[in-house]
Amino acid sequence: MLPAALRPFLPPRLAALIEGRPLPGALTEIRLRLGRPIQLIWVGGDGFLCADGRATLDPSAALSADDALFGEVLHLVTRGSLYAWEDEVRSGYLTLPGGHRVGLTGRALTENGEIRTLQPITGLNIRIARAVPEIARPLLPHLLDGGRLRSTLIIGPPGTGKTTLLRDCCRLLSLGLPGLIPAHRVGIVDERSEIGGAVAGVPTHDLGPRTDLLDGAPKALGLINLVRSMSPQVVAVDELGKHADAEAVQEALHAGVAVLATAHGWDVADLRRRPALSTLMQDGAFERLITLVADKRPGRIGEILVASGDGGWRSIDTTTAPRRLQPAAGDD
Amino acid sequence: MLRQLIGGGLVMGTATFVGWSLASRLSGRPQQLRSLQTAVAILQSEIEWGQTPLPTALRSAAAAAGGRVADLLCVAASLMEGAPAALAVTDPESESVVEGQAHSPKEALRQAIIHHGPRTSLTTEDLAVLAALAPVLGTTGRHDQIRHLALARERLTGAEAQARANLERYERLARWGPVLVGAAIVLILS
């Protein structure tokens, strides 16, 4: 089924077709390429959409995204105002209410070696965001040591649920788990509006009662601003990758704020190959590393790694029951 | 005698009504062209500085324009948002408009012009300026939008100057011409 927040952004006939017949798994992506078959991707597989709503592996039997249909979807996702999304078009994606992301491709027009815009836009990838509450509950106790939350990096290939896990970590930390984890003041820098799925700055996902969201701000700038303005105990950012992001993370850590972040990658070796992230790893910025693996359900944890102090990592046994904290006065 | 009086009164009444309607349309055109220019200027500003989504920008433009021009722009905004029966309220015969379905700016503006254009004092040429905006509105980047809107404003300014000249030249004729014709008919028939 399509999320209710996404339905207004699809032409009714396309939404009806997609919802007409059940798919083998939960729908994760709808890919429209101008003049080519409409592709559906679900957990565990993919196929092309037929005119009768079936999914087929035969592209020649599938429904094509013709000019009219493609134009209609583009009109809906841009609210008929492409000019209002210039920065997003330049970045190659825009975010819809509910945190659903629309990837854009087409002919790139460049200026001074940088993409100025895409004109025309000929490809759309609608990625469906799904909040999975409680997904982070088994993980959270492992992120604490001596009653203090340790800075954590969640890594995994695309589509493994990094953002979903990060979102639920924020929610639970903000809420607190009585006797197990005290409630924290959480700050989120949500550059792509994927964590909070904010509309006009107001999150559409539950991020917890003590969470401040800085929506749409560049990560590096947002992290520093948030630490200064909202004095969070924890800050969360999605998809670290640039040197500026790494510097901002260091700044936050120096201010005594724990950092929860995600990054693309398969394992520690992968991170060490990326210049910005390898600096963070060398400096011991993160004390916990969570690797995610592809699975039918998002946020499937492969390994929880703890910094061993000598630059190495040791895996911890996730089957061990977390210790309960003694209730402490002043826990907020 | 009584029948002649009633007949004469009816002819004069109708002629006066026609004359005043023609004059009102003639004097309404420059005003509405000025309103339309204001609306386009607001639209330009909303797009350039606010990057405001088109339906909201159209409503702001409508609020600044007022009158019949505002109605036309509001209908276009409602059609873009898929507001139920945006046109059906005022025009039950608008079959091409699907209730609840968001229309492209091109289609929304086209429908609004078709159904609300005749209710304004604007001529077909005036509405053509607006119609020329329909295919490009909202479909390109900011700079391109600004260029198209600036061009539309230029054309509307020219149309207003022409409308004011026509008003000076033909207003009296339009207002009193039918009255004189009516009076002549009454005299001939009596």
Side-chain angles (χ1 to χ4, degrees), chain A residues 8 12 72 75-76 78-88 116-117 119, chain B residues 47 51-55 80 101-105 138-143 145:
Chain A
E72 214 175 328
H75 155 65
L76 289 169
T78 59
R79 285 73 138 183
S81 318
L82 199 60
Y83 59 80
W85 308 96
E86 278 190 332
D87 290 342
E88 287 83 352
R116 184 164 57 86
T117 190
Q119 183 73 23
Chain B
I47 288 173
Q51 296 189 21
T52 314
L54 200 50
M80 278 191 66
Q101 187 179 322
H103 290 71
S104 66
T139 58
T140 58
R142 205 168 34 177
H143 294 299
Q145 295 286 298

Side-chain angles (χ1 to χ4, degrees), chain B residues 62 65-72:
Chain B
R68 290 285 163 93
V69 171
D71 294 345
L72 189 150

Side-chain angles (χ1 to χ4, degrees), chain A residues 137 171-178 180-184 209-210 332:
Chain A
R137 190 176 279 264
R171 185 184 69 85
L172 290 172
L173 284 169
S174 173
L175 197 61
L177 302 178
L180 210 58
I181 296 172
H184 289 69
R210 297 173 182 83
D332 53 8

Side-chain angles (χ1 to χ4, degrees), chain A residues 154-167:
Chain A
I154 302 167
I155 59 169
T160 46
K162 295 183 293 295
T163 308
T164 309
L165 189 64
L166 181 69
R167 183 188 301 128

